[in-house]
């Protein structure tokens, strides 16, 4: 193959290059992004004719975000993109940077992405903290210690095929993130030798209520890996520990937990708060099964007859009562609707009782069963008023129908009586040509 002979190849390019190279091409100052990308891109032209690794960047590059923003190969790699002479085009004296090592990649990308003046010319609100944040993460710290297996920019964003982060085909689009992290974190062989409790983070997360909300319900407010871990930093902005991240979305639960006796009790046990009861990755739908019964998490620390165990039972009982009352009420309303009574107003009022139920479940985090009961009692009152209304409407309907049936029977009776009376008294007209009594 003609490409296999590097020296021969270079000779060909050299010969070709001599004729076309404008030697006056601007040399980029080392360390500074180019002011303006060159109109020509000899890098792309020549590389697209090469084989294997050397050509592979050129295929996807036209739809890479950098190409779409008008940047070229030379914007990242430097060199002279107006020359077809390989010795000019790829001359380190013209700022050419070949393939960066893994250790060099954050700074390679950061040359632009940490430069606010430069980035804001493209997008006035572009963030420029990625490298600084990355340096605080376990990935960034281990990389500086010489670990080449941790994630660098291109493991999460790809290279030569980088997309805007809000593009659904981007590897960091929320629904794609688990697979992107999983390329390493689910690979037993790759992660061998690290002191991690398990490698099931991705699998566990994909089993969670959060993943279902994100993928099945399309709820982009549900967290994926980086919502809890931060995209670049050790934690998301404003959160000091990953274990505290839940409260950024579930603020009410956090406030109640913070005011409950558990805050200090858990701290002295070294227990991590929310995660102690809900786990971190495989979070399941919550319910009374967490309070009482064989799956009770309260009973992992409390005895059934101590204060904690007792409160758990009381809270579960009052929540379950409201839950089943709401269910029965809904059944009554549906029955009435099937019978033809318009119950839409009552149905929408029932959502107020349901809000109380949701609030009661949140209030569990106060550990105060009287506060939970205050919510459930309020809900029960609303639900029973609505149920009463539904029953009344049904009863009215029944009475109306009974009345209707009675009057129908009465009218039928009158008609029949009349008919027989008329017939008996010979008032019926004889049909012409009909029977005669001979
Ligand atoms: C005339 C052909 C030609 C032109 C023009 C050209 N290259 Fe290359 N490039 C090559 C060849 C051939 C190699 C392999 C050389 C080698 O590794 O000895 C290469 C290698 C590279 C590498 C890999 C180097 C490494 O460290 O592994 C990069 C990156 C690169 N070129 C970028 C560019 C950029 C950026 C431009 C434009 C400024 C450019 N090239 C222009 C032919 C060309
Ligand atoms: C956004 C910055 C960026 C742009 C733009 C860019 N590259 Fe690269 N390129 C990189 C990085 C980072 C690597 C190192 C990839 C790796 O280690 O896997 C690289 C690696 C390469 C390599 C070595 C490939 C290998 O596997 O050995 C070649 C060749 C190359 N680039 C050519 C190009 C060409 C040609 C273009 C334009 C079509 C281009 N690059 C545009 C960042 C860029
Ligand atoms: C562990 C994976 C990972 C690594 C490593 C990583 N990123 Fe990101 N990056 C993400 C995720 C996830 C997002 C999306 C954030 C979002 O949706 O809000 C993102 C977003 C971005 C954005 C869009 C603006 C922003 O900050 O949200 C840029 C630019 C970016 N990354 C550049 C980089 C650079 C440069 C590096 C290397 C220093 C890097 N990333 C390393 C995962 C990563
Ligand atoms: C020559 C300067 C330059 C270099 C080097 C560079 N980028 Fe960019 N990058 C940009 C510009 C400009 C944009 C467009 C920003 C915008 O419009 O918001 C961009 C956009 C991005 C985006 C999309 C951001 C978003 O808001 O969705 C990602 C991701 C990204 N770059 C990652 C990288 C990675 C990874 C590297 C290193 C391999 C890198 N960039 C190297 C200039 C550069
Ligand atoms: C290129 C492979 C790779 C990719 C991709 C990757 N990681 Fe990592 N990650 C590692 C390695 C290796 C470690 C080091 C483990 C250690 O030292 O404990 C690590 C460490 C971590 C840690 C710290 C674990 C601890 O407590 O020590 C977290 C958290 C983490 N990664 C999250 C993520 C997330 C979230 C993503 C996706 C957005 C991701 N990683 C993508 C390889 C990767
Ligand atoms: C709802 C928040 C949340 C989501 C989503 C999440 N994590 Fe975690 N993750 C945590 C918490 C909390 C910890 C425990 C941190 C601690 O103890 O400091 C943790 C720990 C880890 C660790 C360290 C090892 C371990 O299991 O303790 C890794 C690695 C990790 N997560 C990767 C991921 C990856 C990959 C994803 C996406 C598939 C992900 N996480 C999604 C909250 C989350
Ligand atoms: C980025 C925001 C966000 C973060 C961070 C977050 N969650 Fe969620 N969580 C949600 C959303 C959205 C839902 C889905 C709500 C729904 O559909 O009912 C949800 C659902 C839940 C549910 C199920 C609720 C139910 O009705 O059964 C529990 C339990 C839960 N999260 C606990 C946690 C815990 C524990 C953490 C921290 C480890 C956490 N969440 C972190 C947004 C978040
Ligand atoms: C002591 C154990 C425990 C701790 C600690 C705990 N929870 Fe809960 N959580 C529960 C129980 C039990 C339920 C179910 C209540 C029910 O439905 O009857 C629940 C329900 C939930 C729900 C669904 C109900 C709702 O409010 O929408 C969410 C969300 C939630 N917890 C988030 C959190 C967050 C965030 C934290 C940390 C601030 C946390 N939990 C701490 C035990 C706990
Ligand atoms: C990780 C262990 C642990 C779990 C799980 C746990 N608790 Fe506790 N709880 C404690 C500790 C420790 C205390 C403080 C010592 C004490 O009073 O028993 C406490 C205190 C309490 C108190 C106050 C007791 C008092 O005498 O004032 C109540 C009420 C309580 N817990 C209820 C619950 C409920 C309900 C659950 C389940 C949703 C639960 N706890 C789950 C460890 C736990």
């Amino acid at each position: 193959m003609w490409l296999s002979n590097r020296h021969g190849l270079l000779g060909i390019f050299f010969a070709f290059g001599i004729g076309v190279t404008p030697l006056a091409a601007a040399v980029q100052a080392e360390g500074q992004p180019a002011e303006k990308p060159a109109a020509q891109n000899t890098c792309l032209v020549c590389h697209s004719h090469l084989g294997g690794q050397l050509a592979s960047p050129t295929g996807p590059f036209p739809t890479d975000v950098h190409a779409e923003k008008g940047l070229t190969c030379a914007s990242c790699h430097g060199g002279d993109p107006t020359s077809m002479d390989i010795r000019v085009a790829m001359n380190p004296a013209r700022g050419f940077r070949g393939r960066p090592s893994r250790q060099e990649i954050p700074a390679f990308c950061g040359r632009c992405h940490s430069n606010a003046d430069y980035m804001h010319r493209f997008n006035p609100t572009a963030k420029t903290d990625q490298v600084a944040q990355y340096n605080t993460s376990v990935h960034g710290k281990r990389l500086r210690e010489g670990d080449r297996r941790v994630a660098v920019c291109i493991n999460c964003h790809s290279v030569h095929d980088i997309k805007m982060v809000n593009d659904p085909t981007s590897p960091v689009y929320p629904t794609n993130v688990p697979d992107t992290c999983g390329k390493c974190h689910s690979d037993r062989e790759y992660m061998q030798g690290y002191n991690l409790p398990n490698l099931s983070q991705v699998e566990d997360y994909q089993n969670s209520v959060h993943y279902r909300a994100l993928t099945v319900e399309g709820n982009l407010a549900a967290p994926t890996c980086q919502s809890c871990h931060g995209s670049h930093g050790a934690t998301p902005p404003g959160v000091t520990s990953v274990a505290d991240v839940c409260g950024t979305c579930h603020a009410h639960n956090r406030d109640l937990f913070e005011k409950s006796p558990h805050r200090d009790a858990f701290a002295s046990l070294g227990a991590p708060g929310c995660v102690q009861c809900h786990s971190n990755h495989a979070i399941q739908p919550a319910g009374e099964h967490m309070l009482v019964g064989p799956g009770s998490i309260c009973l992992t620390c409390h005895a059934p007859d101590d204060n904690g165990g007792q409160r758990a039972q009381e809270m579960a009982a009052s929540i379950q009562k409201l839950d089943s009352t709401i269910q029965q009420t809904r059944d009554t309303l549906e029955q009435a609707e099937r019978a033809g009574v318009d119950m839409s107003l009552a149905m929408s009022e029932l959502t107020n009782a349901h809000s109380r139920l949701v609030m009661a479940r949140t209030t569990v985090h106060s550990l105060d069963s009287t506060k939970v009961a205050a919510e459930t009692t309020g809900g029960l009152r609303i639900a029973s008023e609505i149920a009463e209304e539904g029953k009344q409407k049904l009863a009215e309907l029944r009475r109306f129908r009974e009345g209707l049936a009675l009057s129908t029977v009465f009218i039928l009776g009158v008609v029949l009586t009349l008919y027989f009376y008329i017939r008996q008294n010979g008032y019926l007209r004889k049909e012409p040509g009909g029977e005669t009594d001979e």
Side-chain angles (χ1 to χ4, degrees):
M1 223 190 101
W2 68 285
L3 280 178
S4 59
N5 181 337
R6 284 274 165 87
H7 295 289
L9 183 66
L10 292 183
I12 295 168
F13 289 135
F14 182 50
F16 180 41
I18 289 286
V20 291
T21 310
L23 289 166
V27 176
Q28 275 170 244
E30 183 64 44
Q32 279 298 309
E35 276 297 309
K36 242 190 179 172
Q40 273 168 286
N41 193 352
T42 53
C43 328
L44 184 76
V45 174
C46 181
H47 273 265
S48 61
H49 289 95
L50 303 174
Q53 302 264 65
L54 292 172
S56 63
T58 61
F61 190 67
T63 56
D64 182 292
V65 57
H66 298 97
E68 282 176 348
K69 297 285 170 179
L71 302 183
T72 62
C73 315
S75 308
C76 280
H77 288 289
D80 183 349
T82 61
S83 174
M84 271 309 259
D85 180 345
I86 193 168
R87 290 177 306 183
V88 178
M90 294 182 3
N91 191 336
R94 289 175 185 257
F96 180 73
R97 294 170 286 275
R99 177 187 175 165
S101 72
R102 284 181 76 75
Q103 260 84 8
E104 287 165 345
I105 285 178
F108 185 94
C109 309
R111 199 170 56 90
C112 298
H113 282 281
S114 303
N115 183 335
D117 286 345
Y118 175 80
M119 290 308 293
H120 291 167
R121 268 183 258 153
F122 292 85
N123 171 1
T125 61
K127 290 196 249 168
T128 50
D129 64 346
Q130 295 86 10
V131 178
Q133 287 285 327
Y134 174 78
N135 287 337
T136 69
S137 72
V138 172
H139 293 144
K141 286 183 190 152
R142 294 255 193 284
L143 184 76
R144 286 203 306 283
E145 289 161 12
D147 184 340
R148 295 156 49 85
R149 278 189 284 168
V150 293
V152 297
C153 318
I154 60 172
N155 295 112
C156 293
H157 291 287
S158 84
V159 61
H160 304 127
D161 192 17
I162 299 176
K163 297 284 188 279
M164 290 297 277
V165 298
N166 59 9
D167 180 330
T169 66
S170 161
V172 299
Y173 190 73
T175 46
N176 301 334
V177 167
D179 287 337
T180 300
C181 311
K183 274 187 295 185
C184 301
H185 282 280
S186 302
D187 185 334
R188 202 152 293 279
E189 213 173 297
Y190 192 87
M191 296 303 286
Q192 210 175 4
Y194 292 108
N195 188 23
L196 294 172
N198 58 62
L199 294 179
S200 61
Q201 291 88 11
V202 178
E203 201 185 312
D204 287 347
Y205 168 72
Q206 285 176 336
N207 253 318
S208 74
V209 58
H210 287 143
Y211 183 72
R212 274 192 296 278
L214 180 68
T215 55
V216 181
E217 288 150 35
N219 183 352
L220 290 178
T224 178
C225 315
Q226 94 269 14
S227 327
C228 293
H229 289 286
S231 349
H232 303 112
T235 51
V239 178
T240 44
S241 149
V242 178
D244 292 340
V245 77
C246 321
T248 57
C249 298
H250 301 287
H252 206 149
N253 303 64
R254 176 197 54 207
D255 294 346
L256 291 170
F257 174 79
E258 291 289 323
K259 289 194 203 110
S260 80
H262 273 166
R263 193 191 71 157
D264 291 341
F266 277 32
S268 60
L269 286 177
C274 320
V275 169
Q276 178 72 34
C277 295
H278 290 286
S279 88
N280 51 7
H281 298 124
I283 296 172
Q284 293 305 309
E288 291 75 66
H289 62 278
M290 293 174 67
L291 291 166
V292 290
S296 163
I297 35 137
C298 314
L299 298 185
T300 58
C301 296
H302 292 280
D305 56 356
D306 77 6
N307 217 337
Q310 288 297 309
R311 296 295 91 78
Q313 273 173 31
E314 289 161 14
M315 294 191 286
S318 69
I319 292 173
Q320 275 163 348
K321 184 163 176 214
L322 177 56
D323 196 3
S324 61
T325 306
I326 291 177
Q327 195 47 53
Q328 281 159 13
T329 306
R330 189 172 290 123
D331 290 347
T332 308
L333 299 188
E334 279 168 4
Q335 203 189 335
E337 289 213 307
R338 275 196 302 274
V341 188
D342 177 16
M343 298 301 312
S344 52
L345 199 65
M347 273 292 190
S348 77
E349 275 168 17
L350 194 59
T351 56
N352 294 335
H354 192 261
S355 306
R356 291 301 195 100
L357 178 65
V358 171
M359 199 38 110
R361 287 184 161 139
T362 304
T363 310
V364 165
H365 297 84
S366 71
L367 307 180
D368 186 338
S369 48
T370 52
K371 284 192 183 143
V372 173
E375 297 295 342
T376 54
T377 316
L380 279 170
R381 195 172 347 96
I382 301 173
S384 47
E385 277 166 15
I386 297 170
E388 199 47 49
E389 190 189 328
K391 279 183 201 145
Q392 265 174 23
K393 289 250 167 85
L394 265 179
E396 275 167 28
L397 184 74
R398 213 169 290 133
R399 277 198 298 278
F400 174 72
R401 291 215 169 133
E402 280 163 9
L404 198 69
L406 269 178
S407 35
T408 314
V409 171
F410 177 73
I411 292 167
L412 212 69
V414 171
V415 171
L416 282 177
T417 320
L418 267 175
Y419 173 77
F420 287 116
Y421 179 80
I422 289 166
R423 204 187 149 115
Q424 221 163 41
N425 293 287
Y427 290 134
L428 279 181
R429 205 157 46 89
K430 292 195 179 86
E431 293 297 318
E435 270 176 78
T436 48
D437 16 355
E438 262 164 322

